[in-house]
Each structure stands twice: as structure tokens, then as C-alpha cells.
């Protein structure tokens, strides 16, 4: 079973609509959750992080976390063509190093396309 | 300075060459990471350094050799690579102690490596 799962898409959304991206994770001990945006040929860019159940809003972005269901989502309101990218869900898990260093595990990403 | 700087941006090397990738950050972050990303795949963790000590090695082949000379610098030494090692190599850093993960990583722009 994959540790972090996302629908690969592509997800096509009309400009101005709400884009909804979903992610599930397997490690119940995970405490921190992230959404990264990655444009083609570029490195990932952190856009949201969340670690408490419920919603967290930042501008047009809302992250939602439900630890009981092991589910994380990202809503993008008023979608713009510049939002077209791959969105990576990432989960921090306890690592296996002797100092218990954490590591972030990425899902395979959802490709989002905003059509004019 | 809020950046992670990676050099070179592009690298082409033969299978018998020895080369090094360099990563630098001046944000006072105490954890640094190497990730490998193949096309249309998520980043895969290779190494974690915590307080300048190797904390996690994700069973990476010995032809990849990491080094952390000081708290601001992380190197990845490459030797006898194979064409399948061609990928985008990403460096990242995080501000927290590695046993607490709240704010995610800052990624560098990556080194695109081609092995011929």
C-alpha cells in the first residue's frame, strides 16, 4: 500500500471555478501535512501546511485535514490559468534514523489544468 | 536570504566521470535533504542530514556519496553513475529539529543531471 495516495488526473477545471484536490495517507502517526505546487521543469514550491483537524485558509487556497479519515484536501477558489501545475500532497513521517529524524513522503501528484 | 542554492543547474557526465552537486543555504536551517525526481514522478528521498550528521540513508547505491562539511553546505558526490540515474536532483532544508516537522521544506531549484 502506498503511503500517500493521490489521483494522478489530469483534473480539468474551468477558469474561475473551484478546484478540489484530494489525498489519503496510511500512517496514523503522521502529524504534519503539506501541499506543494510544481510547474513543469521546476522544483516543488510549498503553498500550504496544516497539522490540526479542520480547515486552514490562505488567500484563494484552503487546506482541509481529517485525521480520523486520514484525508487531506486542497481547495483552490477562483482558479486561474497560472494555477495549472502538478500538486503534490506530502506527509511528514517519523524517520528511522538514530536521532529519529523526520522525513516528508510525497504522493505521486495530481496534474491540474485550468481551461479558459 | 530565504533561498536554497544549488549548483550546477545542469550537468552532463559520462559513466566513468566523478562529479559533485552542491547545495547551500544561509537560513540557519539544521536539517538538509537530497531528493531525486524522475520525470512525472514525485520526489524520492535519498539522504537526510540532521545537525551535520547523516541521519537517514534510504538504501541509496554507494555511487552516490553525500557530505555535509558545515551547517550551510551539502554536497552529493557522484561516481560511476548509470544512464538510469539521470534525473532532477533536489536539495532541501528545514528549520525545525528533525523530530518536529511543522513548516515543511524549502527546496532548491535543482540540478538536472544527464548520464551518457
Amino acid at each position: 500500500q502506498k503511503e500517500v495516495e493521490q489521483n494522478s488526473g489530469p483534473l480539468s477545471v474551468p477558469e474561475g471555478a473551484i478546484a478540489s484536490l484530494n489525498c489519503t495517507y496510511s500512517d496514523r502517526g503522521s502529524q504534519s501535512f503539506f501541499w506543494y505546487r510544481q510547474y513543469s521543469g521546476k522544483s516543488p514550491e510549498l503553498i500550504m501546511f496544516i497539522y490540526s483537524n479542520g480547515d486552514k485558509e490562505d488567500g484563494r487556497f484552503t487546506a482541509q485535514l481529517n485525521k480520523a479519515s486520514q484525508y487531506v484536501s486542497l481547495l483552490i477558489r477562483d482558479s486561474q490559468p497560472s494555477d495549472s501545475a502538478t500538486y503534490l500532497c506530502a506527509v511528514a513521517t517519523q524517520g528511522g534514523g538514530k536521532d529519529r529524524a523526520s522525513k516528508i513522503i510525497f504522493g505521486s501528484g495530481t496534474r491540474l489544468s485550468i481551461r479558459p | 536570504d530565504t533561498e536554497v542554492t544549488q549548483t550546477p543547474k545542469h550537468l552532463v557526465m559520462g559513466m566513468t566521470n566523478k562529479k559533485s552537486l552542491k547545495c547551500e543555504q544561509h537560513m540557519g536551517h539544521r536539517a538538509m535533504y537530497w531528493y531525486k525526481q524522475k520525470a512525472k514522478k514525485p520526489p524520492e528521498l535519498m539522504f537526510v542530514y540532521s545537525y551535520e550528521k547523516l541521519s537517514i540513508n534510504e538504501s541509496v547505491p554507494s555511487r552516490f556519496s553525500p557530505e555535509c562539511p558545515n551547517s550551510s553546505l551539502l554536497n552529493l558526490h557522484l561516481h560511476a553513475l548509470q544512464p538510469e540515474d539521470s534525473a532532477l536532483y533536489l536539495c532541501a532544508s528545514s528549520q525545525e529539529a528533525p523530530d518536529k516537522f511543522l513548516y515543511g521544506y524549502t527546496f532548491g531549484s535543482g540540478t538536472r543531471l544527464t548520464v551518457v
Side-chain angles (χ1 to χ4, degrees):
Chain A
Q1 181 187 4
K2 289 184 180 178
E3 295 182 68
V4 181
E5 293 212 41
Q6 295 180 255
N7 188 323
S8 62
L11 175 65
S12 181
V13 172
E15 184 175 356
I18 295 176
S20 178
L21 305 164
N22 304 314
C23 170
T24 58
Y25 61 94
S26 60
D27 182 359
R28 283 197 171 275
S30 300
Q31 296 189 6
S32 304
F33 307 87
F34 311 90
W35 284 99
Y36 283 84
R37 176 176 64 197
Q38 187 171 26
Y39 294 111
S40 181
K42 302 294 185 182
S43 63
E45 173 193 8
L46 180 66
I47 55 173
M48 290 287 287
F49 63 88
I50 186 168
Y51 42 85
S52 299
N53 275 328
D55 295 359
K56 179 182 178 183
E57 187 174 319
D58 184 1
R60 295 187 296 113
F61 298 97
T62 298
Q64 300 173 316
L65 173 62
N66 184 327
K67 290 186 180 179
S69 301
Q70 295 175 245
Y71 178 88
V72 193
S73 66
L74 179 71
L75 301 178
I76 306 174
R77 289 182 299 281
D78 188 22
S79 297
Q80 303 296 309
S82 60
D83 295 326
S84 297
T86 295
Y87 289 80
L88 298 164
C89 174
V91 176
T93 65
Q94 201 70 37
K98 55 184 181 296
D99 61 357
R100 301 186 62 73
S102 292
K103 58 184 178 181
I104 288 181
I105 304 298
F106 288 85
S108 56
T110 298
R111 192 154 52 93
L112 175 66
S113 175
I114 307 300
R115 58 182 189 271
Chain B
D1 187 351
T2 58
E3 289 189 344
V4 176
T5 302
Q6 288 188 245
T7 54
K9 294 197 182 304
H10 300 274
L11 177 63
V12 179
M13 61 185 290
M15 289 187 285
T16 59
N17 291 160
K18 286 184 179 181
K19 296 287 184 183
S20 296
L21 309 184
K22 179 180 174 181
C23 173
E24 197 163 5
Q25 57 88 13
H26 296 287
M27 296 177 281
H29 289 181
R30 301 315 298 266
M32 296 184 76
Y33 309 80
W34 281 114
Y35 276 81
K36 171 183 176 180
Q37 187 175 27
K38 304 278 278 185
K40 300 190 186 304
K41 298 290 186 182
E44 294 179 29
L45 182 66
M46 300 175 72
F47 302 104
V48 178
Y49 271 84
S50 168
Y51 293 89
E52 301 160 47
K53 293 183 180 177
L54 183 63
S55 180
I56 295 176
N57 176 341
E58 293 286 277
S59 303
V60 179
S62 59
R63 58 185 183 269
F64 296 92
S65 176
E67 178 196 20
C68 189
N70 59 58
S71 60
S72 300
L73 193 57
L74 184 66
N75 299 320
L76 186 63
H77 303 297
L78 314 173
H79 174 55
L81 295 193
Q82 303 297 310
E84 58 264 29
D85 296 321
S86 299
L88 179 67
Y89 287 83
L90 295 162
C91 175
S93 69
S94 63
Q95 65 183 61
E96 307 89 358
D99 63 342
K100 292 185 179 181
F101 231 139
L102 296 180
Y103 303 116
Y105 296 156
T106 300
F107 276 101
S109 58
T111 294
R112 188 158 300 280
L113 173 67
T114 303
V115 181
V116 297

